[in-house]
Amino acid sequence: MSYLVNGKTFSEEPRPGQCLRTFLREMGWFGVKKGCDAGDCGACTVWLDGVPVHRCLIPAFRADGHKVTTIEGLAQNGELHPMQRAFMQAAGFQCGFCTAGMIMTAASLNEEDIKDLPRVLKGNLCRCTGYHAIEDAIHGVKAVEEDIPGKSCGAGLLAPAAEGIVTGKVRYTLDTEIEGLLHLKLARSPHAHARITAIRKDAALAVPGVRGVYTWEDVPQLLYTSATHDDYHVDPNDTYLLDKVVRFVGQRVAAVVAESEGAAEEGCRKLEIDYELLPAVFDPEKAMSAGAPIIHDKGAESRIRRPGQNILLEIHGNVGDVEAGFKEADAIHEGTYTTHRVQHAHLETHCSITWLDQDRLNVRTSSQTPYITKQKLCYLFNLMPDSVRVFCERVGGGFGGKQEVLTEDICAFATLKTGRPVKLEFTREEQFIASTTRHPMSVRMKVGARRDGRLTAMQLRVVSNTGAYGNHGGETLYAACGEAVAVYRCPNKKVDGYSVYTNMLPAGAIRGYGMTQTIFAVECAMDELARALKMDPFEFRRLNVVKPDDQMIAESEAATDTEFGSYGLDQCLDLVQAALTRGNGVKRPDGDWLEGQGMAISMHGAVPPTEHRSEARLGLGEDGNYHLAIGTAEFGNGTTTVHRQIVSSVLNSTASRVQVIQSDTDRTGYDTGAFASAGTVVAGNAVRLAAEALRERMLSFASKNYAVGRDACRLEHDAIFYNDTRVSLADLFEASRKAGRLLEVVRKSYGTPRSITFQVQGFRIAVNRTTGEIVILQSVHGADGGVIINPMQCKAQIEGSVAQGLGWSLQEKMVFDDRGRMLNPTFRNYRIPAYADVPQRTEIYFANTHDAFGPLGAKSMSEAPIYPIAPALANALTNATGVRFYDSSMTPDRIYRRIFESTERGRS
């Protein structure tokens, strides 16, 4: 067959049944991505005779004799296509995994199409951006600012990977060719709880191309946790690489490695597995009750608090006397609030490639934590640290989901057994049924206040469903019981929290990390209390929130390292209230629509309370540029750009002169990982310290080398000046080399003290009384992020958070049957927001603050904006309908039902 791809003719024969996506990737066109393999996400979009198609749906043979254009072929004669240039100028991407497909669709649009973006973009999904930067790119709006020497801080500068992203040249985890590659597939449990009594491998091993089949009998019997924290003691040791007991539907049972994915899949199908079914429990309250099935019958080495009652961890704290506080109250609100299970839905699924190089294990993976992943592999396989390298290329989204070891361990095992390279890539279904989710929580709230609005007592009982394994189960519970309570001044507080094992899919780290759940409950309860007292919700918060001189108290008065590095909550409240009062001119639709307004607040202690650290290496190179090595992974969080801006601000240079090496355990110093919003404040502080030290070293060397006073030397963006003499940075490097004193420094930073960020979200919405549909009329967000190093990026993070938070509330929900099996494990049935689902552009306002602890006065922002989204929406919904919605899933059917029930009660 003959194929014309990007102007070149190829004579190739696709395999029977092969789709165009895999065919093109095997030919080296890696710009074509896999996000779903079902035609739902558009990451694989190419042109077929000039028409955009999802190539995962097109059999490869149908492209015979046709013209195929991928993102790599869009530029002509070395010139970017106008749409590629537009996406760069608007920064229309974050992780960039969807960008190639998005550009291929956008570049095919005519003027009429552009007038109807909800229709023409319905086949392309983006999880990161919230779509507004993409919309700007299509409309030719430029957001990127000029890179001026010494003026980087506060400028909307472009990510260094931008051109590579829009041209398809940036490499993600699986964008590589490795000779002799084996493919690994996993057989998974169809049962929620069972003991494996036998696995017969013969038929699987007989499949042509199968090179190995591994079960629990073949792997090291070492307990560990798939969660990655610097202090591993905060997570339970409750997991085996492969186990003889399965505890949820989708748990891996056996691994098959073969010469092709098809052979490995067939090998999994040929395995004969006998199970002894065990009783299962899916509800955490029932799991704690007497007589419930015990999910983990493990000892003290597991660090499970009460295995006999399925309790991973419990928290009990009491400040003051809540009973006395409730007796003082003139108004009390009680209610039980629930939050449902949702998925990260990053478009690049979990994936890894492992190989041996002179008996040294190499792991190329999609991870937020390469260093801790390396530690875990050394432990599991008894390897010396210098015999393992873990590194990341660009990571296609994470949102906390890749703070987990889900592919690296079994891939590494297969490579160590076979001696050959091994690849494992989750399908989209596996991403839903076998990775991690948000922790569903139930929060029983009781709050009281006096007639003047001052709180007298707060009481919470939090039950978290950690699922079959406790990865992140304890730490998310601590987070849930922290800032959501501490943001309010109240003399009497009581918190009881339980993280409970069930036979559900394990929960894990996700944007919001336990706090979205309790903030939903607390902020809804505070609104109810304000309504009972007939107080404005903004005024109620102003009266009760912590102030800079207050101690932040949740369930204990014990001292912590959390501090007010700056305080901007008052500004955020003022900014959001003023914007909602002004309005934006958008009116509710005609017809049977109700209108309401709501708000919510949040406080976030950046960096986990457990250990977090980072090392930055910074030096002047022979090219006259600065070279930074930092372990933080880039997955759309924007830390690479921020780190360059920190360096260039301190060194009076431009960000373009800072070259970055990152997320490679061979080439960078230790970094705990890109999670808990630590990339700016922990790694960023290491970068700042290194830049300050390098500046001093360069000036001191110039003073000594050129025999002039230190005060006579000054650093400009491309040279050192002393008196009237200019020495280029390349010449300075050469002088230092000859003098035997290379201009390079190493500095470390630790995540303490922990500063505080604040967010306020406001919504004005319309609700259709007949259908339950919600339309967002106005969205306003106030953020206290200290000094905003890159406002363009920061606004994009907030827009993405608002879209993700609305998706979790209005559309997304993982649905399970009564046997623990997920019923909607596809993007088609688990609907993340498309362009048409995202509301009016959020008005974003930043408080004017300067943090005492963050680099250049900055605070972390990528995670915090998600916290107040759901409660602000719920409060607006209650304001519109008069009905309180106690569950975070606010789908039209639920809304209609509650409105109908309320109306019927009113009639009776």
Side-chain angles (χ1 to χ4, degrees):
M1 293 183 181
S2 179
Y3 295 86
L4 181 62
V5 182
N6 296 332
K8 298 179 181 179
T9 302
F10 298 87
S11 294
E12 297 283 345
E13 286 291 327
R15 296 187 302 276
Q18 186 173 22
C19 72
L20 186 57
R21 180 189 69 80
T22 58
F23 183 63
L24 289 173
R25 286 183 64 84
E26 288 174 5
M27 294 169 67
W29 305 109
F30 292 120
V32 189
K33 306 301 184 198
K34 168 188 171 180
C36 66
D37 262 0
D40 296 333
C41 76
C44 67
T45 302
V46 299
W47 289 352
L48 194 61
D49 294 333
V51 178
V53 297
H54 291 179
R55 63 183 180 170
C56 64
L57 298 179
I58 305 292
F61 75 87
R62 289 191 178 174
D64 178 27
H66 294 273
K67 180 182 177 181
V68 177
T69 307
T70 74
I71 190 68
E72 292 94 336
L74 202 56
Q76 295 294 319
N77 302 318
E79 291 291 324
L80 294 181
H81 186 280
M83 191 56 70
Q84 291 173 308
R85 194 176 305 111
F87 266 72
M88 285 186 64
Q89 292 174 341
F93 57 86
Q94 286 183 26
C95 83
F97 199 78
C98 74
T99 305
M102 194 73 72
I103 289 175
M104 295 306 294
T105 296
S108 71
L109 304 180
N110 58 38
E111 290 185 10
E112 287 302 310
D113 290 332
I114 291 174
K115 294 177 183 178
D116 192 9
L117 291 181
R119 175 182 62 84
V120 296
L121 292 183
K122 65 182 179 181
N124 290 84
L125 298 178
C126 174
R127 188 54 152 174
C128 301
T129 64
Y131 296 100
H132 291 306
I134 293 169
E135 178 185 36
D136 285 345
I138 294 171
H139 287 296
V141 178
K142 182 178 178 180
V144 175
E145 297 176 327
E146 186 179 353
D147 188 5
I148 300 172
K151 305 293 185 182
S152 289
C153 183
L157 300 187
L158 193 57
E163 186 166 343
I165 288 171
V166 303
T167 58
K169 294 178 181 177
V170 160
R171 293 294 178 251
Y172 293 80
T173 308
L174 301 183
D175 296 342
T176 186
E177 295 181 57
I178 296 181
E179 188 176 349
L181 184 67
L182 293 175
H183 299 263
L184 188 149
K185 287 292 180 179
L186 293 161
R188 299 188 178 277
S189 172
H191 306 296
H193 201 191
R195 181 174 288 105
I196 298 169
T197 57
I199 301 180
R200 290 175 289 279
K201 306 178 182 179
D202 292 350
L205 288 168
V207 172
V210 169
R211 296 292 177 260
V213 177
Y214 307 109
T215 70
W216 70 270
E217 296 176 300
D218 303 302
V219 300
Q221 292 300 296
L222 290 173
L223 283 170
Y224 69 109
T225 174
S226 61
T228 51
H229 284 109
D230 206 308
D231 180 2
Y232 66 89
H233 295 96
V234 302
D235 300 302
N237 276 345
D238 60 4
T239 303
Y240 288 110
L241 193 62
L242 292 168
D243 204 336
K244 60 183 176 183
V245 176
V246 292
R247 296 175 174 86
F248 70 96
V249 174
Q251 180 170 329
R252 59 193 189 191
V253 172
V256 177
V257 290
E259 299 290 345
S260 68
E261 283 192 57
E265 290 173 347
E266 181 64 13
C268 289
R269 286 190 287 268
K270 292 293 186 182
L271 286 169
E272 299 174 15
I273 306 172
D274 295 337
Y275 295 95
E276 174 194 344
L277 297 187
L278 301 173
V281 60
F282 306 111
D283 178 84
E285 295 285 2
K286 293 178 180 178
M288 288 189 288
S289 64
I294 296 175
I295 296 171
H296 288 278
D297 186 11
K298 294 179 170 70
E301 76 282 359
S302 68
R303 297 190 295 277
I304 299 172
R305 188 66 57 89
R306 285 198 275 164
Q309 292 176 268
N310 294 317
I311 296 174
L312 163 63
L313 181 79
E314 55 188 317
I315 296 171
H316 302 286
N318 193 44
V319 176
D321 184 341
V322 292
E323 293 304 320
F326 286 124
K327 289 179 181 177
E328 294 176 21
D330 296 306
I332 292 175
H333 168 71
E334 292 186 75
T336 299
Y337 294 85
T338 54
T339 55
H340 58 292
R341 193 180 295 273
V342 293
Q343 233 277 335
H344 314 77
H346 37 74
L347 288 194
E348 182 195 39
T349 61
H350 281 83
C351 54
S352 298
I353 300 175
T354 54
W355 69 92
L356 293 173
D357 181 6
Q358 296 181 345
D359 295 327
R360 194 161 185 262
L361 179 64
N362 291 267
V363 182
R364 175 175 172 140
T365 188
S366 184
S367 174
Q368 295 173 228
T369 56
Y371 269 93
I372 303 177
T373 299
K374 172 180 173 175
Q375 293 174 349
K376 210 168 287 286
L377 297 177
C378 289
Y379 162 75
L380 282 172
F381 305 118
N382 195 27
L383 300 172
M384 295 297 291
D386 61 0
S387 67
V388 179
R389 175 195 181 198
V390 178
F391 70 100
C392 305
E393 297 292 342
R394 193 170 182 89
V395 176
F399 310 110
K402 293 173 181 176
Q403 192 194 340
E404 208 86 48
V405 173
L406 297 177
T407 57
E408 299 90 345
D409 50 357
I410 194 68
C411 244
F413 172 78
T415 284
L416 293 170
K417 291 292 287 186
T418 64
R420 290 179 58 180
V422 175
K423 165 190 161 183
L424 171 58
E425 178 184 20
F426 276 16
T427 64
R428 181 54 57 185
E429 180 175 354
E430 285 179 301
Q431 195 65 44
F432 278 113
I433 70 167
S435 61
T436 59
T437 71
R438 181 172 71 170
H439 288 77
M441 290 190 189
S442 171
V443 184
R444 192 169 70 209
M445 286 289 309
K446 185 177 181 181
V447 288
R450 287 193 289 268
R451 193 169 288 105
D452 64 1
R454 296 187 186 276
L455 291 170
T456 61
M458 294 178 66
Q459 185 171 358
L460 289 79
R461 181 180 183 271
V462 182
V463 178
S464 174
N465 186 341
T466 196
Y469 292 92
N471 42 303
H472 298 281
E475 287 299 276
T476 51
L477 185 65
Y478 275 115
C481 298
E483 287 95 316
V485 180
V487 71
Y488 286 102
R489 292 183 295 173
C490 182
N492 307 294
K493 296 179 178 180
K494 184 178 182 182
V495 177
D496 296 291
Y498 304 87
S499 181
V500 185
Y501 287 110
T502 66
N503 290 114
M504 293 297 292
L505 168 67
I510 193 170
R511 195 179 209 168
Y513 206 75
M515 289 174 59
T516 53
Q517 298 93 311
T518 46
I519 288 172
F520 175 75
V522 170
E523 289 302 297
C524 288
M526 292 301 171
D527 240 50
E528 285 297 298
L529 204 52
R531 287 179 69 204
L533 294 166
K534 295 182 171 54
M535 287 187 68
D536 177 83
F538 284 93
E539 291 306 318
F540 184 81
R541 265 74 170 195
R542 288 189 182 98
L543 184 66
N544 287 294
V545 295
V546 289
K547 302 296 193 296
D549 293 331
D550 293 333
Q551 184 181 355
M552 287 173 278
I553 298 171
E555 84 289 353
S556 168
E557 293 182 284
T560 71
D561 66 344
T562 305
E563 302 280 352
F564 288 109
S566 60
Y567 183 88
L569 178 54
D570 52 349
Q571 296 180 52
C572 292
L573 285 165
D574 292 346
L575 290 165
V576 172
Q577 186 174 27
L580 289 173
T581 301
R582 285 193 306 269
N584 61 352
V586 179
K587 298 181 179 180
R588 68 173 180 259
D590 294 332
D592 195 11
W593 292 82
L594 304 168
E595 185 173 331
Q597 179 177 296
M599 58 82 67
I601 69 170
S602 67
M603 181 174 80
H604 170 63
V607 188
T610 53
E611 190 73 21
H612 208 106
R613 50 201 168 107
S614 185
E615 175 183 303
R617 300 173 184 172
L618 181 64
L620 180 65
E622 63 180 342
D623 56 0
N625 289 327
Y626 298 107
H627 295 261
L628 171 65
I630 189 80
T632 306
E634 175 63 64
F635 52 95
N637 46 342
T639 52
T640 310
T641 315
V642 166
H643 292 164
R644 295 171 90 210
Q645 290 179 261
I646 292 170
V647 171
S648 57
S649 295
V650 173
L651 297 177
N652 198 27
S653 186
T654 58
S656 60
R657 295 186 71 91
V658 183
Q659 312 302 313
V660 183
I661 296 170
Q662 60 195 157
S663 54
D664 186 331
T665 61
D666 268 11
R667 304 173 68 197
T668 67
Y670 185 88
D671 185 276
T672 298
F675 63 89
S677 303
T680 295
V681 295
V682 181
N685 260 332
V687 170
R688 174 187 61 83
L689 291 168
E692 291 171 350
L694 181 62
R695 179 184 60 194
E696 182 59 31
R697 184 163 297 184
M698 291 169 67
L699 291 170
S700 296
F701 173 78
S703 171
K704 181 178 180 181
N705 192 67
Y706 302 115
V708 295
R710 167 68 173 74
D711 292 342
C713 301
R714 74 178 191 274
L715 179 61
E716 298 293 341
H717 80 283
D718 61 351
I720 287 272
F721 286 82
Y722 64 92
N723 299 329
D724 294 326
T725 303
R726 177 184 184 277
V727 180
S728 73
L729 294 184
D731 289 342
L732 187 72
F733 172 87
E734 183 61 21
S736 71
R737 187 188 63 78
K738 289 179 178 177
R741 189 161 186 255
L742 295 182
L743 300 175
E744 185 175 6
V745 298
V746 174
R747 290 294 184 271
K748 299 178 181 179
S749 176
Y750 300 85
T752 186
R754 305 167 64 228
S755 193
I756 291 292
T757 67
F758 295 100
Q759 317 291 138
V760 177
Q761 175 69 35
F763 284 116
R764 185 168 59 87
I765 67 171
V767 187
N768 190 292
R769 196 197 307 263
T770 304
T771 66
E773 179 188 0
I774 286 179
V775 173
I776 307 296
L777 304 176
Q778 186 177 10
S779 173
V780 185
H781 193 94
D784 171 23
V787 173
I788 307 300
I789 294 176
N790 190 315
M792 177 186 69
Q793 276 194 170
C794 198
K795 287 179 179 178
Q797 290 289 333
I798 293 171
E799 288 176 342
S801 289
V802 172
Q804 193 169 36
L806 288 174
W808 289 354
S809 301
L810 299 178
Q811 297 174 212
E812 302 174 45
K813 186 173 186 179
M814 302 176 75
V815 180
F816 295 83
D817 65 15
D818 58 4
R819 295 177 295 168
R821 182 171 59 95
M822 187 180 178
L823 300 178
N824 59 330
T826 65
F827 277 151
R828 190 160 303 182
N829 296 313
Y830 177 93
R831 289 188 57 247
I832 70 171
Y835 173 83
D837 301 310
V838 175
Q840 295 275 336
R841 192 178 297 256
T842 295
E843 301 168 42
I844 298 169
Y845 302 95
F846 293 117
N848 183 16
T849 60
H850 186 287
D851 196 68
F853 309 123
L856 309 183
K859 298 196 263 193
S860 61
M861 280 295 294
S862 60
E863 183 173 22
I866 194 114
Y867 296 130
I869 306 304
L873 182 67
N875 290 337
L877 184 56
T878 296
N879 182 250
T881 64
V883 179
R884 170 53 62 186
F885 292 79
Y886 289 90
D887 189 83
S888 62
S889 178
M890 291 169 269
T891 53
D893 58 318
R894 287 168 173 257
I895 294 170
Y896 165 75
R897 185 164 58 247
R898 291 294 310 281
I899 293 174
F900 177 79
E901 291 170 353
S902 176
T903 303
E904 289 298 301
R905 282 196 300 270
R907 288 172 179 169
S908 63

